[in-house]
Amino acid sequence: MSVMLHRILRPALKQAQLLSAIKNKQQLWRHETLVSASSACDATIRSLEDCLEVNYGGAPMWFDYVWLRDHCRSDASYNSSTNQRNLDTASIDLSIRPDNTTVQDGHLVLTWPGGHVSKYSLSWLAENSYEKNKQSTIQPRILWNSDTYKKANIPSAKWKSFMSCDDEVKNFLQNYLLYGIAFVDDVPATVEATEAVTQRVSLIRETTYGRMWCFTSDFSRGDSAYSQLGLDRHTDTSYFQEPCGIQVFHCLKHEGTGGRTLLVDGFYAAEKVRQQSPENFELLAKVPIRHEYIEKSENHRNHMTGIGPVLNVYPWNDEMYLIRYNNYDRSVINIVPHDLVRRWYVAHRELTNELRRPENELWVKLTPGKVIFIDNWRVMHGRDSFTGLRQLCGCYLTRDDVLSSARVFGLQA
Ligand SMILES: C[N+](C)(C)CCCC[C@H](N)C(=O)O
Ligand SMILES: O=C(O)CCC(=O)C(=O)O
Ligand SMILES: [Fe+2]
């Protein structure tokens, strides 16, 4: 392993060591004094040197004492009407330990030096334990290839009910979260109606391309999207430090041939790489890559750059949450040492091969009335070359607000 690769991978190795240290703790502590033990509501509590061990629901969990004090839900520490912390965390003695520990009526009750009492329901603790969360996914997803997506037979939402019925929006969002794409049909073929549909879901993210944009092959901007060329699968705005979360397309008009839309589930392909070659997956998740958009025309001047790995993974549970893949907009590789570069190209090739498998390609012809929402952090899009007048409108949405809408509906995101 090269020195640099080592340096890049070291944090991950450290984390792995940390994890096994955490696992071993249970054994280390077996010989320690049982400071206090109580059992009620099938919970057993042990006060250990630096944390509290709670056995509840079959598996042990460990809670650091400072964490417990910081997460006190009493009125003095926490405002439960605004869901905000009142407590000044910096005022906690970092070697704090409770004087008394008991379990009453499904709650852990701690009395701290000075007399402050904290109460936590055991189910809340279980829900918020590291042990539970390292095994949970933040956003459940169904990864797909063309066949499995088609077989799932996901219904499109319909304009009329979408505009009037919250349940229709909720179902739509559930499909969107699971598959990374979702459709609304029967939408009037206008920019205004497209805007109205997107506003049922979220806020529009204004970018250099505008708020609602409407584009055709007129080279009005310095980008190949504004041509009749075919475009290979890619994610958009990879040159933003935070790429746009959602892309909305509505084809208002096409008098000509070609111009079908290509969709590929990037996470499906990346998971294949993870299974086949974990070391290549790791490279794609660690090596920083720059994307860039430089535009210098009469009416537009832009110089955007965004730096980040191709794959972004949550460190505690290895769940993927963002893929940046745009070979057109990928910039010069100059922040990667030479002995890593070739390996990165090998890893990139493996991902590309997976993304290009014909069985992973879902082709749809967007027609007036059909609005598509694409998770631009997961699903790639592209298009056939085309002839004739083809007019597409759409916008980008702010990811935070789409996910917020979903959570307000009670969906997991
Ligand atoms: C969608 N709209 C036509 C407005 C912009 C297209 C941006 C294309 C750019 N190469 C990218 O991938 O980000
Ligand atoms: O023209 C299309 O279908 C899509 C072009 C594209 O990739 C984009 O606008 O982001
Ligand atoms: Fe695009």
PDB file of all heavy atoms in Angstrom, residues 251-267:
ATOM      1  N   CYS A 251     -40.638  17.778 -20.427  1.00  0.00           N
ATOM      2  CA  CYS A 251     -40.440  18.040 -21.845  1.00  0.00           C
ATOM      3  C   CYS A 251     -41.713  18.688 -22.387  1.00  0.00           C
ATOM      4  O   CYS A 251     -42.761  18.049 -22.482  1.00  0.00           O
ATOM      5  CB  CYS A 251     -40.146  16.736 -22.594  1.00  0.00           C
ATOM      6  SG  CYS A 251     -39.821  17.016 -24.329  1.00  0.00           S
ATOM      7  N   LEU A 252     -41.613  19.967 -22.718  1.00  0.00           N
ATOM      8  CA  LEU A 252     -42.811  20.697 -23.139  1.00  0.00           C
ATOM      9  C   LEU A 252     -43.109  20.469 -24.615  1.00  0.00           C
ATOM     10  O   LEU A 252     -44.255  20.600 -25.052  1.00  0.00           O
ATOM     11  CB  LEU A 252     -42.639  22.201 -22.875  1.00  0.00           C
ATOM     12  CG  LEU A 252     -42.393  22.594 -21.411  1.00  0.00           C
ATOM     13  CD1 LEU A 252     -42.268  24.109 -21.297  1.00  0.00           C
ATOM     14  CD2 LEU A 252     -43.503  22.084 -20.500  1.00  0.00           C
ATOM     15  N   LYS A 253     -42.075  20.130 -25.378  1.00  0.00           N
ATOM     16  CA  LYS A 253     -42.272  19.996 -26.818  1.00  0.00           C
ATOM     17  C   LYS A 253     -41.116  19.227 -27.429  1.00  0.00           C
ATOM     18  O   LYS A 253     -39.951  19.460 -27.069  1.00  0.00           O
ATOM     19  CB  LYS A 253     -42.304  21.417 -27.419  1.00  0.00           C
ATOM     20  CG  LYS A 253     -42.901  21.495 -28.809  1.00  0.00           C
ATOM     21  CD  LYS A 253     -42.759  22.895 -29.345  1.00  0.00           C
ATOM     22  CE  LYS A 253     -44.101  23.630 -29.310  1.00  0.00           C
ATOM     23  NZ  LYS A 253     -43.997  24.991 -29.837  1.00  0.00           N
ATOM     24  N   HIS A 254     -41.412  18.291 -28.333  1.00  0.00           N
ATOM     25  CA  HIS A 254     -40.353  17.727 -29.162  1.00  0.00           C
ATOM     26  C   HIS A 254     -40.919  17.341 -30.516  1.00  0.00           C
ATOM     27  O   HIS A 254     -41.727  16.413 -30.614  1.00  0.00           O
ATOM     28  CB  HIS A 254     -39.674  16.518 -28.501  1.00  0.00           C
ATOM     29  CG  HIS A 254     -38.499  16.020 -29.298  1.00  0.00           C
ATOM     30  ND1 HIS A 254     -37.946  14.785 -29.120  1.00  0.00           N
ATOM     31  CD2 HIS A 254     -37.778  16.621 -30.288  1.00  0.00           C
ATOM     32  CE1 HIS A 254     -36.933  14.629 -29.976  1.00  0.00           C
ATOM     33  NE2 HIS A 254     -36.817  15.730 -30.691  1.00  0.00           N
ATOM     34  N   GLU A 255     -40.472  18.044 -31.529  1.00  0.00           N
ATOM     35  CA  GLU A 255     -40.867  17.706 -32.900  1.00  0.00           C
ATOM     36  C   GLU A 255     -39.618  17.199 -33.594  1.00  0.00           C
ATOM     37  O   GLU A 255     -38.835  17.961 -34.146  1.00  0.00           O
ATOM     38  CB  GLU A 255     -41.400  18.959 -33.622  1.00  0.00           C
ATOM     39  CG  GLU A 255     -42.732  19.442 -33.065  1.00  0.00           C
ATOM     40  CD  GLU A 255     -42.913  20.956 -33.176  1.00  0.00           C
ATOM     41  OE1 GLU A 255     -41.994  21.644 -33.657  1.00  0.00           O
ATOM     42  OE2 GLU A 255     -43.983  21.438 -32.756  1.00  0.00           O
ATOM     43  N   GLY A 256     -39.386  15.884 -33.496  1.00  0.00           N
ATOM     44  CA  GLY A 256     -38.178  15.316 -34.086  1.00  0.00           C
ATOM     45  C   GLY A 256     -37.972  13.900 -33.570  1.00  0.00           C
ATOM     46  O   GLY A 256     -38.875  13.310 -32.983  1.00  0.00           O
ATOM     47  N   THR A 257     -36.748  13.391 -33.757  1.00  0.00           N
ATOM     48  CA  THR A 257     -36.470  12.015 -33.345  1.00  0.00           C
ATOM     49  C   THR A 257     -35.442  11.999 -32.220  1.00  0.00           C
ATOM     50  O   THR A 257     -34.750  12.982 -31.969  1.00  0.00           O
ATOM     51  CB  THR A 257     -35.903  11.204 -34.525  1.00  0.00           C
ATOM     52  OG1 THR A 257     -34.705  11.863 -34.975  1.00  0.00           O
ATOM     53  CG2 THR A 257     -36.890  11.139 -35.670  1.00  0.00           C
ATOM     54  N   GLY A 258     -35.315  10.833 -31.562  1.00  0.00           N
ATOM     55  CA  GLY A 258     -34.309  10.644 -30.502  1.00  0.00           C
ATOM     56  C   GLY A 258     -34.697  11.372 -29.231  1.00  0.00           C
ATOM     57  O   GLY A 258     -35.878  11.599 -28.955  1.00  0.00           O
ATOM     58  N   GLY A 259     -33.666  11.728 -28.452  1.00  0.00           N
ATOM     59  CA  GLY A 259     -33.918  12.535 -27.257  1.00  0.00           C
ATOM     60  C   GLY A 259     -34.579  11.793 -26.114  1.00  0.00           C
ATOM     61  O   GLY A 259     -35.174  12.417 -25.240  1.00  0.00           O
ATOM     62  N   ARG A 260     -34.434  10.452 -26.105  1.00  0.00           N
ATOM     63  CA  ARG A 260     -34.965   9.743 -24.934  1.00  0.00           C
ATOM     64  C   ARG A 260     -34.081  10.034 -23.723  1.00  0.00           C
ATOM     65  O   ARG A 260     -32.899  10.362 -23.860  1.00  0.00           O
ATOM     66  CB  ARG A 260     -34.961   8.226 -25.172  1.00  0.00           C
ATOM     67  CG  ARG A 260     -36.035   7.727 -26.110  1.00  0.00           C
ATOM     68  CD  ARG A 260     -35.856   6.229 -26.317  1.00  0.00           C
ATOM     69  NE  ARG A 260     -34.452   5.912 -26.613  1.00  0.00           N
ATOM     70  CZ  ARG A 260     -33.895   4.709 -26.475  1.00  0.00           C
ATOM     71  NH1 ARG A 260     -34.614   3.699 -26.036  1.00  0.00           N
ATOM     72  NH2 ARG A 260     -32.627   4.511 -26.774  1.00  0.00           N
ATOM     73  N   THR A 261     -34.652   9.877 -22.545  1.00  0.00           N
ATOM     74  CA  THR A 261     -33.917  10.112 -21.296  1.00  0.00           C
ATOM     75  C   THR A 261     -33.416   8.783 -20.736  1.00  0.00           C
ATOM     76  O   THR A 261     -34.157   7.805 -20.686  1.00  0.00           O
ATOM     77  CB  THR A 261     -34.846  10.798 -20.269  1.00  0.00           C
ATOM     78  OG1 THR A 261     -35.212  12.080 -20.800  1.00  0.00           O
ATOM     79  CG2 THR A 261     -34.166  10.977 -18.930  1.00  0.00           C
ATOM     80  N   LEU A 262     -32.149   8.790 -20.340  1.00  0.00           N
ATOM     81  CA  LEU A 262     -31.526   7.606 -19.740  1.00  0.00           C
ATOM     82  C   LEU A 262     -31.439   7.801 -18.233  1.00  0.00           C
ATOM     83  O   LEU A 262     -31.029   8.869 -17.760  1.00  0.00           O
ATOM     84  CB  LEU A 262     -30.115   7.441 -20.325  1.00  0.00           C
ATOM     85  CG  LEU A 262     -29.196   6.457 -19.606  1.00  0.00           C
ATOM     86  CD1 LEU A 262     -29.747   5.037 -19.675  1.00  0.00           C
ATOM     87  CD2 LEU A 262     -27.784   6.508 -20.211  1.00  0.00           C
ATOM     88  N   LEU A 263     -31.812   6.773 -17.483  1.00  0.00           N
ATOM     89  CA  LEU A 263     -31.712   6.825 -16.022  1.00  0.00           C
ATOM     90  C   LEU A 263     -30.956   5.590 -15.527  1.00  0.00           C
ATOM     91  O   LEU A 263     -31.220   4.476 -15.986  1.00  0.00           O
ATOM     92  CB  LEU A 263     -33.115   6.859 -15.403  1.00  0.00           C
ATOM     93  CG  LEU A 263     -33.952   8.069 -15.833  1.00  0.00           C
ATOM     94  CD1 LEU A 263     -35.439   7.810 -15.595  1.00  0.00           C
ATOM     95  CD2 LEU A 263     -33.499   9.328 -15.097  1.00  0.00           C
ATOM     96  N   VAL A 264     -30.023   5.809 -14.616  1.00  0.00           N
ATOM     97  CA  VAL A 264     -29.252   4.692 -14.057  1.00  0.00           C
ATOM     98  C   VAL A 264     -29.117   4.905 -12.550  1.00  0.00           C
ATOM     99  O   VAL A 264     -28.746   6.003 -12.105  1.00  0.00           O
ATOM    100  CB  VAL A 264     -27.831   4.610 -14.687  1.00  0.00           C
ATOM    101  CG1 VAL A 264     -27.049   3.463 -14.079  1.00  0.00           C
ATOM    102  CG2 VAL A 264     -27.905   4.459 -16.199  1.00  0.00           C
ATOM    103  N   ASP A 265     -29.425   3.861 -11.782  1.00  0.00           N
ATOM    104  CA  ASP A 265     -29.297   3.944 -10.331  1.00  0.00           C
ATOM    105  C   ASP A 265     -27.814   3.827  -9.954  1.00  0.00           C
ATOM    106  O   ASP A 265     -27.237   2.733  -9.976  1.00  0.00           O
ATOM    107  CB  ASP A 265     -30.114   2.821  -9.679  1.00  0.00           C
ATOM    108  CG  ASP A 265     -30.130   2.909  -8.157  1.00  0.00           C
ATOM    109  OD1 ASP A 265     -29.387   3.739  -7.596  1.00  0.00           O
ATOM    110  OD2 ASP A 265     -30.908   2.146  -7.533  1.00  0.00           O
ATOM    111  N   GLY A 266     -27.216   4.958  -9.597  1.00  0.00           N
ATOM    112  CA  GLY A 266     -25.785   4.984  -9.277  1.00  0.00           C
ATOM    113  C   GLY A 266     -25.451   4.131  -8.062  1.00  0.00           C
ATOM    114  O   GLY A 266     -24.371   3.534  -7.996  1.00  0.00           O
ATOM    115  N   PHE A 267     -26.361   4.046  -7.098  1.00  0.00           N
ATOM    116  CA  PHE A 267     -26.062   3.275  -5.891  1.00  0.00           C
ATOM    117  C   PHE A 267     -26.091   1.774  -6.175  1.00  0.00           C
ATOM    118  O   PHE A 267     -25.360   1.008  -5.553  1.00  0.00           O
ATOM    119  CB  PHE A 267     -27.061   3.608  -4.763  1.00  0.00           C
ATOM    120  CG  PHE A 267     -26.858   4.973  -4.147  1.00  0.00           C
ATOM    121  CD1 PHE A 267     -25.882   5.839  -4.627  1.00  0.00           C
ATOM    122  CD2 PHE A 267     -27.641   5.398  -3.075  1.00  0.00           C
ATOM    123  CE1 PHE A 267     -25.687   7.101  -4.062  1.00  0.00           C
ATOM    124  CE2 PHE A 267     -27.453   6.647  -2.496  1.00  0.00           C
ATOM    125  CZ  PHE A 267     -26.481   7.504  -2.991  1.00  0.00           C
TER     126      PHE A 267
END
